[in-house]
Amino acid sequence: MAHTEWIHALEKVVGADHVISGSEAGTFAVDGKVPQAVVFPSTVEETSSVMAIASEAALKTIPWGAGSQMALGAIPARVDLVVALKHLNHLVDHEWGDMTATVQGGMRLEDFQQALGQHQQYLPLDPPFADQATVGGLLATNASGPRRLFYGTARDLLIAITVVHADGTVTKGGAKVVKNVTGYDMNKLYIGSLGTLGIIAEATFRVYSRIAWEKTWLAPFLTLDHAEEAIAQIMDSSLVPNALELLDKAAARRVTNRASIGWTDGQYALAASVESVAEEAVDTQIEEIGRISRKVGSPGGNLLHDEPHHTFWREVRDITPGTNGTAPRHLRAVLKGGVLISKVADAFRVGEEEAKAQGLDICIVAEAGSGIVRYYVSAEDRSLQQFVEGTVSTVERIRSTCEAQEGSLIILEADAALKTRIDVWGPVKGLKLMQGIKERFDPRQTLNPGRFVGGI
Amino acid sequence: MIQGKTRIVRELEKIVGPNAVIHTEEELRVYECDGATIFRALPDMVVLPATTHQVAEIVKVCHREQIYFVPRGAGTGLSGGALASQGGIIIGLNRMIRILETDVPNQRAVVESGVVNVWLAQKISGDGYYYAPDPASQTACTIGGNVAENAGGVHTPKYGVTTNHVLGLEVVLPNGETVEIGGKVLDPPGYDLVGVFVGSEGTFAIATTVTVRILHKPEAVKTLMGIFHNIEDASNAVSGIVARGIIPACLEMMDKLSIQAVEKWAKAGYPMDAGAVLLVELDGPKAEVEALADLVVEVFQAQRVREVRVAKNDEERELLWKGRKAALAAMGQIRPDCYLQDAVIPRTKLPIILKEIEELSQEYGLPVANVFHAGDGNLHPFILYDGRYEEEIRKAVELGARIMNRCVEMGGSITGEHGVGLEKQDFMPLMYTEDDLEAMMKVKCAFNPDQILNPGKIFPTSKSCVEVGQHKRDRIRYEPHRIEKEGLAQRF
Ligand SMILES: Cc1cc2nc3c(=O)[nH]c(=O)nc-3n(C[C@H](O)[C@H](O)[C@H](O)COP(=O)(O)OP(=O)(O)OC[C@H]3O[C@@H](n4cnc5c(N)ncnc54)[C@H](O)[C@@H]3O)c2cc1C
């Protein structure tokens, strides 16, 4: 199909005002690659017709939610068409009595939360930049945040899904009930698949009630050893924090500053959030967490509740690279490591050492109880080449440490210049099986070619 | 029949030793059925490997010869998944029973797939830890079988099912290749192969080792029983608990018929004239458990609860659970045979579906007792019949089909934890279109391209059934399974 022909075909499906091309498409570039056109379907049916045209015309196609995570993934092989989902943004249903809700993939998480909030319910997913991200985008990237310690991630919350495949076929998986083993669990396949198997058109979640009481104990630590011991003792107890976050000195300074919490510089911070229907249950746990922290060497601590509690956690989630979040975009990178719970402090140590050796700024935050470590690397006044060199070596060093502990390290966000130098995903177990799945779902490599693991 | 059986027996004996290959009809009978005794099929042979390496070597032989093979754990599955329904070799994992590692600081354990569920719990109990998925069959079923079926248990409202606790697997693919997927660390990059594997009912690969999450025991546990005048009040209490945002560890219900059967059998002290009983278990920090218990009692009272019993110690807690645990055994007093259904509805539909089941029971003239996981909306109607009468078998199966039908119409599912296997494959089109099924088939083919592993399960057998499923849902009826028609298996 010729260029004008497929553009025309798309216009026929969604209306001429829902297709843009030429220079206007520039803001939808992925790793610098500008699409020939951007199409905005408003319904699942339109999305299906769009994909039928895209595969017919052999267009390399990139699904686009809010664009907040487009820096994730390897550089796409080619970009012809962006399918932007911002009009596929409706709440399909909220069965509040059953505590399930269905949304379209292009709905922003924040709008979804607001709708759920009308019945004092919410989806306990708190990924970075939750106010911008779309639900489909969150699922495709398997984004998560501090609350995963208690509530898990998308894989524990998603119960049904509707997907538009590369050739336009629409399928669903799962059911709108909290327990179901009919057929394979297709939900799991699409979570974290970065839009390489299909476009997430609808998603049904198990949702939760808002809990009356929630407070945070913020403990300072002068050394990582002490923080490490506190984490181990809290985890090996019957305490049930819903989040347990370790912040390095830079992150602690930044977050406390932005949340207006009194703080002495040069200390690590361990934050434990506790919730319950009973205030007493929160208080006794907070007390115990405070006691453990002091016992292993924490000098003091802050109790956060109400607004400061919420501000604190929002700032933890939304950290950006650079001391003040001011580093230029191309001199920033965000890395995500997975390690054993007992190796979280080691993962901090290697990050700190290597950044220092490379002369880079670094900020490290970890979901300590889950073994997920985020590194925010940046430089203020370096050449791009210097930054890339330093970051490549940092990635390699941290990656090999994570891998030695059965973990992994991926690059969540980086300039294309860095991505040409190093594999964003690192080595992957079971790659052949993954390639076999991709081949069967998208034999013509229509969706997001080259952005995922092992060249998928 | 396998071509050159003697030759293959000899080759397999070389891999596992002569006492680990079973091939005489008499001994094979043991493997003729699983927990769904309605289906029977004799395998050509059974092999009992003791290591991953042996599993891989056996599978290589099967692959070379293109012989069908089926993994089997304890054979407690309730949907016929572990049957060699099209003949071939059963690979029994009952000698792969080592707990390879318990890593308490990292809250992980690594076990061979033949390890019995409860062994793991016993092993880590002393450290103050437990493994959350606890199917009622936990003293017999294997963790590999749990992975394959994505087994549930009674603690699912709060802790989820097997999939929420399995992080890594070592599997032997149908071509004999050994692959590791996932692991102890969270969020491995790439597709969530572990996630799709759990619940694949032994049709993707043979799991040889399983890495699971283990949990610290809660500070406090409190068990309450509410005795209600009728099933509506009890159902409304379930909705009330869910709507208040209370997440109990367990929330189980028994109806009148079950209470009577159980009381005669187990003498757990349930009033014989009660309309329904709810068992609620709360766990967590002590202060929270107390606060939740007060809320639960409030909800009960709003539904005119007749009596509330609270266990004051372990002994009393055991007593409250005694009746629930004896349910299956107790049913035998009512009718000699029992067809245990497993279907799910959105929880608010409980009062409606229970009423409809009661009506169906009358229409078919068969008693139906309900003992089930109310907190998940996971129904377990025990359809009671007498298997000596062909007519009763037919009615029981049809009644089960009618229940599944209604559950799907209410937005539910045809199985919550027992799986599709042979039992429900022809009902798949009730929930999924041909395209939906094809997407599933693609995943299966990526793992099992020759379909020599566990063939003939999960997917519907006849095209006509798919058509009926799509266009004439209400006319779905049970038909004898193809393997029954062909005489490969028979219902007794
Ligand atoms: C009295 C009773 C109570 C029960 N209660 C519950 C309950 O509360 N909750 C619940 O969910 N289930 C329950 N079940 C069902 C059953 O116990 C579970 O499905 C269990 O997970 C099966 O485990 P198994 O080892 O017996 O597997 P099997 O029956 O041997 O096999 C089941 C399936 O798994 C496959 N399989 C087995 N091992 C492997 C492996 N290593 N790799 C790949 N595939 C494999 C088989 O091919 C088969 O398809 C109950 C059953 C009984 C008889």
Side-chain angles (χ1 to χ4, degrees):
Chain A
M1 249 193 261
H3 176 76
T4 46
E5 224 175 301
W6 61 258
I7 297 239
H8 188 66
L10 290 174
E11 286 176 347
K12 247 169 89 186
V13 171
V14 298
D17 50 342
H18 283 163
V19 181
I20 57 176
S21 56
S23 61
E24 273 182 285
T27 49
F28 289 86
V30 180
D31 291 320
K33 298 196 174 179
V34 180
Q36 300 182 48
V38 184
V39 57
F40 297 85
S42 306
T43 61
V44 178
E45 294 71 32
E46 283 183 11
T47 314
S48 159
S49 306
V50 163
M51 286 315 299
I53 294 166
S55 72
E56 173 76 33
L59 304 177
K60 301 301 180 196
T61 302
I62 296 202
W64 184 292
S68 71
Q69 312 253 338
M70 290 312 291
L72 173 60
I75 300 172
R78 204 175 89 201
V79 184
D80 297 318
L81 178 68
V82 162
V83 181
L85 298 161
K86 70 173 189 188
H87 297 317
L88 200 67
N89 63 348
H90 297 285
L91 180 73
V92 178
D93 59 53
H94 177 198
E95 303 291 345
W96 57 271
D98 292 315
M99 305 193 69
T100 63
T102 305
V103 282
Q104 292 185 325
M107 191 179 207
R108 290 188 317 147
L109 176 62
E110 186 168 270
D111 296 337
F112 183 33
Q113 299 287 27
Q114 233 156 43
L116 296 173
Q118 289 176 7
H119 293 277
Q120 284 70 53
Q121 294 181 354
Y122 79 118
L123 180 70
L125 263 186
D126 54 351
F129 302 102
D131 50 340
Q132 297 166 28
T134 61
V135 170
L138 292 175
L139 291 175
T141 56
N142 191 21
S144 64
R147 261 171 200 268
R148 63 180 290 165
L149 180 60
F150 186 76
Y151 289 100
T153 57
R155 82 198 290 284
D156 304 294
L157 300 165
L158 182 71
I159 56 175
I161 195 164
T162 303
V163 172
V164 178
H165 294 263
D167 63 357
T169 308
V170 179
T171 70
K172 60 186 180 358
K176 294 181 178 181
V177 282
V178 295
K179 200 169 168 194
N180 166 34
V181 295
T182 311
Y184 303 140
D185 189 350
M186 299 298 280
N187 295 308
K188 304 289 188 289
L189 186 65
Y190 303 111
I191 295 169
S193 67
L194 201 72
T196 55
L197 299 175
I199 295 179
I200 297 170
E202 281 182 19
T204 305
F205 294 94
R206 162 181 199 167
V207 298
Y208 283 80
S209 285
R210 289 228 169 261
I211 300 291
W213 299 98
E214 187 164 8
K215 298 178 188 180
T216 294
W217 183 256
L218 180 64
F221 286 96
L222 289 164
T223 71
L224 268 174
D225 294 358
H226 292 164
E228 189 172 22
E229 183 54 33
I231 294 166
Q233 290 196 21
I234 291 168
M235 292 303 291
D236 187 26
S237 75
S238 54
L239 294 162
V240 272
N242 61 21
L244 183 64
E245 207 81 358
L246 179 64
L247 286 70
D248 76 348
K249 295 171 188 168
R253 179 184 341 109
R254 175 116 67 92
V255 168
T256 50
N257 185 4
R258 292 175 74 127
S260 311
I261 297 163
W263 190 256
T264 312
D265 270 359
Q267 306 182 98
Y268 295 91
L270 182 65
S273 161
V274 178
E275 66 178 12
S276 179
V277 292
E279 188 177 17
E280 194 197 334
V282 173
D283 291 343
T284 48
Q285 289 190 78
I286 290 278
E287 241 167 71
E288 177 63 10
I289 289 165
R291 195 190 61 77
I292 291 173
S293 303
R294 279 189 299 276
K295 196 181 74 191
V296 301
S298 169
N302 301 50
L303 176 67
L304 311 178
H305 50 85
D306 300 310
E307 213 33 52
H309 162 90
H310 295 297
T311 318
F312 174 83
W313 287 102
R314 198 174 50 241
E315 292 299 334
V316 168
R317 261 177 15 214
D318 292 354
I319 281 186
T320 48
T323 18
N324 304 304
T326 53
R329 276 226 164 260
H330 63 282
L331 301 185
R332 297 180 187 184
V334 183
L335 322 174
K336 175 184 160 195
V339 292
L340 295 171
I341 301 166
S342 63
K343 302 291 182 187
V344 166
D346 281 350
F348 271 57
R349 289 184 187 104
V350 62
E352 284 174 353
E353 267 172 42
E354 187 61 23
K356 196 168 167 201
Q358 301 298 333
L360 297 170
D361 295 329
I362 197 164
C363 218
I364 313 174
V365 175
E367 273 105 54
S370 309
I372 299 296
V373 187
R374 291 167 215 273
Y375 302 88
Y376 303 85
V377 183
S378 64
E380 297 279 343
D381 52 357
R382 287 290 198 78
S383 72
L384 177 60
Q385 202 200 335
Q386 281 171 326
F387 176 72
V388 167
E389 293 308 321
T391 310
V392 164
S393 125
T394 307
V395 169
E396 278 168 353
R397 172 93 194 279
I398 302 175
R399 185 172 273 166
S400 72
T401 308
C402 292
E403 277 163 12
Q405 300 159 0
E406 305 174 51
S408 62
L409 183 86
I410 66 168
I411 298 176
L412 279 186
E413 196 185 312
D415 191 84
L418 181 71
K419 295 189 197 175
T420 55
R421 287 289 313 282
I422 188 161
D423 183 359
V424 167
W425 302 102
V428 173
K429 287 187 203 164
L431 184 60
K432 259 203 326 210
L433 287 168
M434 295 176 193
Q435 285 163 335
I437 292 172
K438 170 71 177 181
E439 228 163 74
R440 287 172 172 84
F441 274 73
D442 183 12
R444 306 174 70 175
Q445 308 274 325
T446 302
L447 284 165
N448 268 334
R451 290 185 68 205
F452 202 47
V453 300
I456 288 176
Chain B
M1 241 340 234
I2 294 178
Q3 294 288 313
K5 180 168 166 177
T6 346
R7 174 177 54 90
I8 289 165
V9 167
R10 233 175 285 130
E11 188 172 357
L12 294 177
E13 281 176 346
K14 274 205 199 110
I15 298 169
V16 292
N19 64 357
V21 181
I22 296 167
H23 53 88
T24 65
E25 182 172 334
E26 200 177 306
E27 287 177 291
L28 288 172
R29 284 278 164 225
V30 180
Y31 296 88
E32 183 182 47
C33 69
D34 63 5
T37 49
I38 201 160
F39 296 112
R40 293 186 177 229
L42 207 60
D44 289 297
M45 54 184 109
V46 175
V47 197
L48 304 169
T51 63
T52 300
H53 178 73
Q54 289 182 356
V55 173
E57 292 305 304
I58 297 163
V59 171
K60 279 176 196 159
V61 173
C62 294
H63 183 245
R64 189 192 68 216
E65 304 279 333
Q66 290 287 297
I67 300 170
Y68 292 152
F69 62 102
V70 177
R72 181 179 172 111
T76 66
L78 291 170
S79 49
L83 261 63
S85 55
Q86 307 197 351
I89 297 176
I90 284 181
I91 300 182
L93 294 148
N94 319 78
R95 293 186 182 180
M96 306 239 341
I97 51 172
R98 286 176 300 164
I99 295 176
L100 299 173
E101 189 186 352
T102 55
D103 182 353
V104 170
N106 290 307
Q107 307 194 339
R108 303 288 183 263
V110 185
V111 302
E112 286 185 336
S113 57
V115 166
V116 170
N117 178 296
V118 81
W119 297 350
L120 177 59
Q122 287 162 352
K123 171 101 179 174
I124 56 184
S125 178
D127 292 313
Y129 283 75
Y130 73 109
Y131 174 57
D134 59 345
S137 51
Q138 72 178 151
T139 51
C141 65
T142 64
I143 291 184
N146 296 162
V147 166
E149 300 289 358
N150 191 11
V154 291
H155 285 86
T156 55
K158 183 165 176 183
Y159 295 101
V161 291
T162 300
T163 193
N164 306 103
H165 301 272
V166 172
L167 304 173
L169 297 166
E170 176 193 72
V171 305
V172 174
L173 296 174
N175 63 6
E177 207 183 310
T178 304
V179 182
E180 258 183 60
I181 53 180
K184 282 177 164 182
V185 173
L186 301 180
D187 295 6
Y191 300 137
D192 184 0
L193 296 177
V194 173
V196 275
F197 191 97
V198 177
S200 62
E201 302 191 17
T203 63
F204 282 4
I206 299 186
T208 44
T209 75
V210 186
T211 302
V212 300
R213 186 198 308 273
I214 56 176
L215 301 177
H216 197 283
K217 287 183 193 166
E219 183 187 13
V221 180
K222 194 163 188 141
T223 310
L224 300 88
M225 186 167 84
I227 299 165
F228 292 85
H229 292 291
N230 56 55
I231 197 107
E232 289 79 39
D233 290 351
S235 307
N236 290 332
V238 171
S239 299
I241 289 173
V242 174
R244 291 290 273 288
I246 304 166
I247 306 172
C250 311
L251 178 47
E252 298 284 306
M253 198 194 297
M254 293 170 72
D255 70 359
K256 188 171 193 157
L257 189 56
S258 330
I259 295 168
Q260 291 173 350
V262 152
E263 191 46 34
K264 278 190 213 145
W265 177 265
K267 307 255 179 303
Y270 298 2
M272 290 293 276
D273 59 341
V277 155
L278 280 185
L279 255 180
V280 180
E281 196 154 279
L282 303 161
D283 71 12
K286 201 164 183 311
E288 178 171 300
V289 167
E290 292 305 324
L292 287 175
D294 291 346
L295 287 177
V296 168
V297 171
E298 249 173 55
V299 172
F300 280 3
Q301 280 163 350
Q303 298 302 332
R304 297 165 293 276
V305 68
R306 239 176 79 168
E307 189 187 335
V308 181
R309 294 184 190 166
V310 182
K312 287 189 282 297
N313 50 42
D314 280 354
E315 213 169 288
E316 289 190 18
R317 182 176 166 223
E318 279 308 307
L319 189 65
L320 293 186
W321 275 108
K322 192 174 165 192
R324 169 66 181 90
K325 288 183 175 162
L328 187 58
M331 296 304 165
Q333 311 166 94
I334 307 179
R335 284 281 169 97
D337 299 290
C338 167
Y339 172 37
L340 174 55
Q341 252 300 342
D342 165 44
V344 193
I345 40 126
R347 290 167 286 204
T348 49
K349 302 287 195 300
L350 265 182
I352 307 172
I353 191 77
L354 290 173
K355 191 151 167 283
E356 289 191 12
I357 291 175
E358 169 65 33
E359 284 162 11
L360 285 170
S361 160
Q362 274 166 17
E363 184 186 329
Y364 282 83
L366 295 179
V368 179
N370 290 286
V371 182
F372 63 101
H373 311 305
D376 306 311
N378 189 179
L379 301 170
H380 280 333
F382 290 77
I383 303 169
L384 305 170
Y385 67 99
D386 187 337
R388 287 170 302 180
Y389 305 103
E390 196 55 39
E391 179 63 7
E392 287 216 351
I393 301 177
R394 195 192 58 74
K395 277 187 178 173
V397 173
E398 191 174 306
L399 172 48
R402 294 276 298 272
I403 294 172
M404 278 192 273
N405 239 301
R406 284 300 291 142
C407 288
V408 173
E409 281 169 3
M410 290 179 187
S413 164
I414 59 173
T415 167
E417 54 181 20
H418 295 167
V420 176
L422 288 173
E423 186 201 357
K424 295 188 174 174
Q425 59 187 161
D426 287 336
F427 296 99
M428 287 288 277
L430 279 178
M431 282 178 67
Y432 299 121
T433 64
E434 235 173 310
D435 285 341
D436 299 342
L437 292 172
E438 199 180 311
M440 291 184 193
M441 187 58 104
K442 285 176 182 165
V443 185
K444 175 179 169 180
C445 290
F447 281 89
N448 183 12
D450 305 330
Q451 314 241 16
I452 52 171
L453 167 61
N454 217 345
K457 309 277 170 72
I458 302 179
F459 293 90
T461 47
S462 63
K463 175 104 174 124
S464 69
C465 183
V466 173
E467 284 160 6
V468 173
Q470 273 175 330
H471 307 299
K472 303 176 196 151
R473 290 189 168 199
D474 52 344
R475 287 181 48 198
I476 280 269
R477 286 281 186 283
Y478 178 81
E479 271 196 56
H481 191 276
R482 193 166 47 76
I483 60 164
E484 291 170 54
K485 285 191 208 156
E486 290 172 7
L488 291 168
Q490 56 179 34
R491 290 184 282 130
F492 60 85

